[in-house]
Amino acid sequence: MEPISAPRQPISLAKALASFTEQWSPRIVTTVNDYDVRVAKVAGEHLWHAHDHTDEFFLVLDGELHIGLREPAGERTVVLPKGSVFTVPRGIEHKPYARVPTEILVLEPSGTLSVGDRHEEVPDHVDTTTGHTLA
């Protein structure tokens, strides 16, 4: 039996992002080995959460993403303008938020919950998911 592989056609991130309107509700555009490549539209606040067993990679496609971090040395915020990347190390509590509508690409192991392994109460506007398939 042949292993399942990524589609053999290019995927337009613009078309993928245009296919949905929900905020904080990532869509899986492809997989790389055991990792999902997800795109999401974000605005406002996510929630404080941590991924105990994996780092989380962010790429800002459009807009500007802020990520609050609770590190051993204290709290700080990183600001990611369009075209920037940042990796949140495993185990670090973080809270993404966007003051303006923003589009992001996230890379994390398949099956990873969008709200991490530990989190505060999930607000109604945040989708608790391992990623939705594209329509």
Side-chain angles (χ1 to χ4, degrees):
M1 173 186 244
E2 265 189 58
I4 297 173
S5 62
R8 298 194 186 265
Q9 296 296 323
I11 298 167
S12 164
L13 294 180
K15 286 182 182 177
L17 285 157
S19 72
F20 65 97
T21 59
E22 297 84 4
Q23 300 288 317
W24 301 110
S25 183
R27 299 305 193 268
I28 301 168
V29 293
T30 191
T31 57
V32 179
N33 298 315
D34 297 331
Y35 282 76
D36 288 340
V37 178
R38 304 174 185 173
V39 293
K41 295 179 178 185
V42 300
E45 297 187 357
H46 195 259
L47 68 147
W48 283 104
H49 68 285
H51 302 276
D52 292 331
H53 306 289
T54 186
D55 300 337
E56 186 172 18
F57 172 88
F58 293 88
L59 164 63
V60 178
L61 301 170
D62 194 33
E64 181 177 87
L65 185 69
H66 298 241
I67 304 175
L69 301 163
R70 289 180 175 158
E71 299 172 306
E75 285 193 22
R76 69 181 176 117
T77 299
V78 295
V79 179
L80 287 72
K82 179 180 178 177
S84 296
V85 300
F86 185 77
T87 300
V88 175
R90 71 190 70 203
I92 297 295
E93 282 187 280
H94 58 287
K95 181 179 185 174
Y97 62 96
R99 294 180 176 152
V100 298
T102 298
E103 296 174 343
I104 61 174
L105 181 144
V106 179
L107 179 69
E108 49 195 354
S110 298
T112 300
L113 280 173
S114 60
V115 296
D117 301 305
R118 295 179 282 118
H119 56 80
E120 63 184 8
E121 186 174 335
V122 180
D124 291 340
H125 70 277
V126 172
D127 185 10
T128 302
T129 181
T130 57
H132 300 282
T133 57
L134 285 173

